[in-house]
Amino acid sequence: MFTGIIETLGTIQEIEREQNNLHITVETSITSELQIDQSVAHNGICLTVVAINNNSYTVTAIEETVLKTNIGNWSKGDQVNIERAMKLGDRLDGHIVQGHVDQVGHCIEVKETNGSWSYTFEYDASLNNLTIEKGSITVNGVSLTVVNSKKNQFSVAIIPYTYEHTNFQSFKAGTKVNLEFDVIGKYVAKLHANK
């Protein structure tokens, strides 16, 4: 379980393919605090630490993860948003995030707005995911508030701190992102659909 509050950025050091799996080695400032078998969110994808070596660690993404996320687009040198699982009893500063990506969306617009940034994203509405105005959304693991909610797109506003401490600064039109829709909203939508 995560909160969508990014701890640090990690840099991809190596990506190795083994059959349909990807072994991804990441260097971060928090590597020394990690343990093997620990869950860490990478751009919102919950992956398990399988090896640690000095300042870097390795995680493995299986075929299901590769197919459902933007992980197949990652390259050596890319920066990813890193968050460790929340501790029971900590403050929930973002919202409840599972680290299970619902689908990949893409950025269609970036606007600087006098000290902050506005990003608009589009996604495939046929998968029945939805946003609501002022509801929560996770984009590349970052907990954000939805504005301009539409059937297949939404916008978010980014403050300077988030811009500087996440990989949002590399986004441009066409950038593919991992989207995790609000888990409470998903349950409500499913209950409503089953009536």
Side-chain angles (χ1 to χ4, degrees), residues 5-180:
I5 303 300
I6 303 306
E7 285 186 75
T8 190
L9 285 166
T11 303
I12 305 293
Q13 299 296 303
E14 186 178 347
I15 300 175
E16 180 186 329
R17 183 172 288 280
E18 179 188 24
Q19 296 179 344
N20 292 335
N21 298 336
L22 293 178
H23 302 292
I24 301 157
T25 302
V26 182
E27 183 179 335
T28 74
S29 60
I30 63 167
T31 299
S32 63
E33 301 171 41
L34 299 179
Q35 298 174 359
I36 291 177
D37 282 344
Q38 193 168 14
S39 294
V40 179
H42 303 74
N43 278 358
I45 307 166
C46 179
L47 298 168
T48 302
V49 176
V50 296
I52 299 173
N53 185 9
N54 297 322
N55 293 340
S56 63
Y57 64 92
T58 303
V59 293
T60 300
I62 61 172
E63 182 179 23
E64 173 77 3
T65 304
V66 175
L67 293 174
K68 294 265 173 86
T69 69
N70 70 359
I71 207 166
N73 295 38
W74 294 2
S75 300
K76 184 176 178 178
D78 284 354
Q79 290 197 306
V80 292
N81 298 322
I82 301 292
E83 181 190 0
R84 287 178 284 179
M86 66 183 264
K87 293 179 187 174
L88 196 59
D90 276 0
R91 289 184 178 91
L92 183 61
D93 290 323
H95 71 282
I96 296 170
V97 176
Q98 295 181 296
H100 304 155
V101 174
D102 292 305
Q103 67 184 98
V104 173
H106 65 276
C107 183
I108 59 173
E109 184 180 55
V110 179
K111 285 195 296 193
E112 190 171 354
T113 55
N114 293 322
S116 65
W117 289 262
S118 171
Y119 293 81
T120 302
F121 298 96
E122 192 170 70
Y123 61 93
D124 180 357
S126 72
L127 298 177
N128 296 323
N129 290 309
L130 56 93
T131 62
I132 61 167
E133 199 71 18
K134 303 294 186 269
S136 296
I137 186 77
T138 307
V139 178
N140 266 13
V142 181
S143 173
L144 297 164
T145 301
V146 171
V147 293
N148 298 325
S149 175
K150 298 180 181 171
K151 183 175 181 178
N152 69 331
Q153 66 179 236
F154 63 92
S155 298
V156 296
I158 301 294
I159 63 172
Y161 183 89
T162 303
Y163 182 84
E164 292 162 13
H165 291 88
T166 68
N167 60 11
F168 266 75
Q169 57 194 281
S170 67
F171 291 7
K172 56 186 184 251
T175 298
K176 291 184 177 179
V177 296
N178 294 317
L179 300 176
E180 181 180 331

